[in-house]
Amino acid sequence: MLIPRGLLADPAGSRREAGPGLPGPAGPFPAAAEVDVLVVGSGVAGLSAALAVPPGRTVLLATKDRLGHSATRYAQGGIAAVLDLVDDSVAEHVADTLAAGAGLCDPVAVRTLVEEGGQAIADLLARGVGFDSDPSGPRQLARTREGGHSRSRVVHAGGDATGAELERALTEAVRATPSVRSVEHAFLVDLVTHDGRVTGALLWADGGPHLVRAGAVVLASGGAGQLFADTTNPPLSTGDGIAAALRVGAVLADMEFVQFHPTALHVDRDPGPPGDHPGGPPDPPRPLISEAMRGEGAVLRDGDGSPVMAGVHPLGDLAPRDVVTRAVAARMAATGARHLWLDATGIPADHLERRFPTILARCRAAGIDPSRQPIPVSPAAHYLMGGVLTDLDGRTSLPGLYAVGEAACTGVHGANRLASNSLLEGVVFAARIGRALAEPSDPGGLWVEGVWSGTTSSAGVEALAVGPAATGPTATGPAAAGAVDNPGQPVPGFGYAPPPGDPPAAGRGETWPGGSAVVRARLRRVMTDRVGVVRSGEGLAAAIAELERLNVNLGDPGPEGFEAANLVQLGRAVAELAARREESRGGHWRSDHPAPVEAWRVRQTLTRSPDGGLDTGLLAVPAAEEARR
């Protein structure tokens, strides 16, 4: 548990029992409550999940900030979906997603996402989302093309404010749903389990802990962009749900894969958007310059004006993000530049104004006019491909626990997410969770038994037994290289960090003067320098050693300390799995192993062992033909 021992003691000496439900919207948040479904997170995934819960169930939507202040609102580009079977096809969107994922996508999950994408857009329209219209035809949605896409299939809203429009419409829908109650400024501290089943959560609100018992808990708590000093994610992206799931024994996957967006605005100081005011949503440290701008004709250039992507990839500036980011980082390193330039001066000024009003406002606040001068850009952490491993219905390895959105790992993104698939994933798989919750029984542990025993899971993923007895291709690949141990045994030297607030193990961890703020700042610097765009075995080893020294003292508990503790745990997970993967693939680029290795075309998993250590494992990636069955 993350909360220090004794914190939950009832000062009156008695244990309160959870009540039958929650009071009305205006009532106070009780110390203990009970609902049918607890949804943690209020971005597109959490809002969609709350709305998808079957009728007749009570729902509590808990958000660590305020409704409308999630990472979703910063999504600019749009949502990718096949809406025109004349100029596009499901097969082409599937192929683009698999290509971007660099061999690690689950093709069954990808096809599920793409086939259900059209219905997801229809559902959003029914919820009141105002997508931009195409003036060329009545009732046609405007579509653009982004990196890695072979067709123009990305629908958008407000030009470059798609996330904000989705959040507005879905928040209004949640507020209009009587069965859903929301609680703001409620921080997920820990999940609660009984006999191996997740039965609720401990939330921190109003300066103290609150126990919420639930028949099902849905984690929609987002990613962990705050692991890095340079990120497009807002301050609230601290991986709280993923870390909580790890602590109670859920299986994580693909944690080494972090997507770094190639074009974040590079200025010495973020001036903030015009009209920003106290109480408004928090701003990301590095504002994003959507690759949709490249889809409309902008070109990446170096200091001499030379096109960066010329000859690098057949899609040029619209290559998958990992390819563009590596090219940008390489050009910066070769020239010693702190940033490159995105040249949008060739796009007509009136089109820029109409298509990218948010980006133009942010740039002009920094003294840059994109219609007249290039935009300074450099890579920044943007999206976590890994998360809590789920099947096609959002079920995790623990009965009673579901995950969706960036907190989840469905297998859709593989080693590198295709642009504008993330919002779609949140909507599609939230709807599937709703349908799963309507089923009469929860299969619970049946799914995880299938994953670990080597039988086929509902997502078409087979486990690979790794270790001395392993046979087949992987026996001469990562296992033989000592990269991954037997998943049934603890990994030597990779122990579970002591629960913050408890005494650290002998010789491990230090209490840092300055508290959690200093720990968080140090962690982000180490992760950026050693576990960023370019990684190496030496740098990763140094990062792991540094992270081992970090310890968060929660003597004065609260969200700031909880967030720092979660980031330390997830930072170690990312660094350890990155060190084990001795190849370069997708969002994981090793300078000492610069090419992909076929034996490493497997997915790494991570879970907490009964003795408190961390166990690693491997999951096979089904062949692409599985998607056509």
Side-chain angles (χ1 to χ4, degrees):
M1 288 180 59
L2 191 56
I3 289 185
R5 293 189 183 98
L7 186 64
L8 293 178
D10 190 329
S14 63
R15 296 293 299 273
R16 300 188 191 90
E17 293 297 324
L22 292 166
F29 189 32
E34 186 170 354
V35 294
D36 293 321
V37 181
L38 171 64
V39 178
V40 181
S42 62
V44 64
L47 295 167
S48 297
L51 292 167
V53 172
R57 311 282 182 90
T58 56
V59 182
L60 176 64
L61 176 66
T63 179
K64 66 187 289 186
D65 199 283
R66 291 168 52 189
L67 284 180
H69 288 193
S70 76
T72 290
R73 71 175 296 108
Y74 304 102
Q76 297 173 347
I79 306 181
V82 176
L83 303 178
D84 182 353
L85 294 179
V86 175
D87 295 328
D88 198 1
S89 69
V90 166
E92 287 173 293
H93 191 179
V94 168
D96 290 346
T97 302
L98 295 176
L104 291 192
C105 295
D106 182 332
V108 180
V110 171
R111 189 165 191 90
T112 299
L113 174 80
V114 174
E115 286 183 335
E116 298 180 13
Q119 184 60 52
I121 299 299
D123 291 343
L124 291 171
L125 287 168
R127 296 284 187 194
V129 175
F131 289 112
D132 296 336
S133 299
D134 187 340
S136 64
R139 304 183 65 182
Q140 294 292 317
L141 298 182
R143 286 168 289 170
T144 191
R145 186 176 164 212
E146 293 189 1
H149 289 275
S150 59
R151 302 289 184 182
S152 295
R153 62 171 69 99
V154 178
V155 297
H156 45 82
D160 57 355
T162 307
E165 171 60 13
L166 259 67
E167 195 160 59
R168 179 205 62 78
L170 295 177
T171 296
E172 288 183 4
V174 162
R175 286 175 169 153
T177 304
S179 60
V180 180
R181 185 198 165 178
S182 61
V183 56
E184 298 179 331
H185 305 293
F187 187 94
L188 173 65
V189 180
D190 269 316
L191 295 168
V192 176
T193 61
H194 179 71
D195 291 337
R197 182 183 183 88
V198 173
T199 57
L202 286 169
L203 304 179
W204 188 272
D206 302 321
H210 298 254
L211 174 63
V212 178
R213 298 198 183 278
V217 176
V218 180
L219 294 178
S221 46
Q226 288 294 314
L227 283 170
F228 300 89
D230 294 323
T231 178
T232 64
N233 289 191
L236 52 79
S237 298
T238 51
D240 310 314
I242 303 173
L246 176 63
R247 286 194 293 274
V248 294
V251 178
L252 310 186
D254 299 341
M255 289 296 292
E256 67 268 42
F257 294 109
V258 178
Q259 184 174 81
F260 293 84
H261 200 288
T263 56
L265 180 63
H266 187 103
V267 292
D268 292 333
R269 179 182 61 86
D270 176 20
D276 217 20
H277 58 277
D283 295 321
R286 294 284 306 281
L288 178 69
I289 307 298
S290 172
E291 67 188 329
M293 189 171 276
R294 281 176 276 139
E296 300 291 340
V299 178
L300 273 166
R301 301 185 187 277
D302 62 17
D304 294 330
S306 301
V308 174
M309 295 304 297
V312 175
H313 191 277
L315 293 177
D317 284 276
L318 290 179
R321 284 179 182 168
D322 60 322
V323 176
V324 179
T325 297
R326 286 196 295 271
V328 168
R331 187 67 61 93
M332 288 170 60
T335 61
R338 296 179 60 227
H339 63 81
L340 297 183
W341 303 93
L342 182 64
D343 183 5
T345 58
I347 304 175
D350 60 339
H351 185 67
L352 272 179
E353 295 284 355
R354 181 175 63 255
R355 184 68 179 83
F356 304 106
T358 305
I359 293 175
L360 263 62
R362 175 74 71 172
C363 289
R364 285 168 177 161
I368 302 161
D369 184 353
S371 66
R372 298 175 179 272
Q373 62 192 113
I375 306 167
V377 294
S378 61
H382 184 58
Y383 192 88
L384 179 64
M385 271 73 76
V388 186
L389 185 65
T390 73
D391 68 1
L392 295 181
D393 295 320
R395 296 186 184 93
T396 73
S397 58
L398 297 180
L401 181 66
Y402 297 76
V404 64
E406 195 172 353
C409 186
T410 62
V412 159
H413 304 306
N416 175 62
R417 175 174 68 87
L418 180 65
S420 291
N421 268 356
S422 56
L423 293 177
L424 181 68
E425 181 193 32
V427 179
V428 166
F429 287 94
R432 296 184 69 88
I433 288 176
R435 294 193 289 272
L437 290 172
E439 295 176 0
S441 62
D442 180 357
L446 295 178
W447 176 75
V448 70
E449 289 171 7
V451 169
W452 289 106
S453 67
T455 59
T456 303
S457 75
S458 60
V461 178
E462 295 182 352
L464 288 178
V466 204
T471 59
T474 55
T476 57
V484 180
D485 294 82
N486 187 323
Q489 300 295 325
V491 178
F494 189 12
Y496 179 69
D502 292 343
R508 296 179 64 183
E510 299 177 9
T511 300
W512 284 61
S516 57
V518 174
V519 170
R520 182 166 174 165
R522 182 58 189 162
L523 165 87
R524 299 178 72 207
R525 191 70 267 158
V526 170
M527 292 294 292
T528 298
D529 292 343
R530 303 291 191 179
V531 199
V533 176
V534 183
R535 302 166 174 175
S536 69
E538 181 181 359
L540 290 167
I544 292 168
E546 181 76 9
L547 294 175
E548 285 276 0
R549 299 176 57 224
L550 297 180
N551 183 57
V552 183
N553 187 343
L554 293 183
D556 183 18
E560 183 178 291
F562 297 152
E563 288 179 337
N566 290 333
L567 288 170
V568 169
Q569 291 174 344
L570 296 183
R572 291 193 59 217
V574 172
E576 282 281 354
L577 294 188
R580 291 169 180 276
R581 182 173 287 276
E582 295 182 338
E583 65 157 357
S584 289
R585 185 185 297 271
H588 171 70
W589 185 18
R590 288 277 298 262
S591 60
D592 51 346
H593 297 280
V597 176
E598 180 58 27
W600 263 113
R601 203 175 72 84
V602 290
R603 300 169 63 195
Q604 295 193 87
T605 62
L606 189 69
T607 189
R608 187 185 183 192
S609 62
D611 65 357
L614 287 176
D615 295 344
T616 60
L618 296 178
L619 288 177
V621 180
E625 289 73 19
E626 292 287 331
R628 294 190 284 273
R629 292 184 181 178

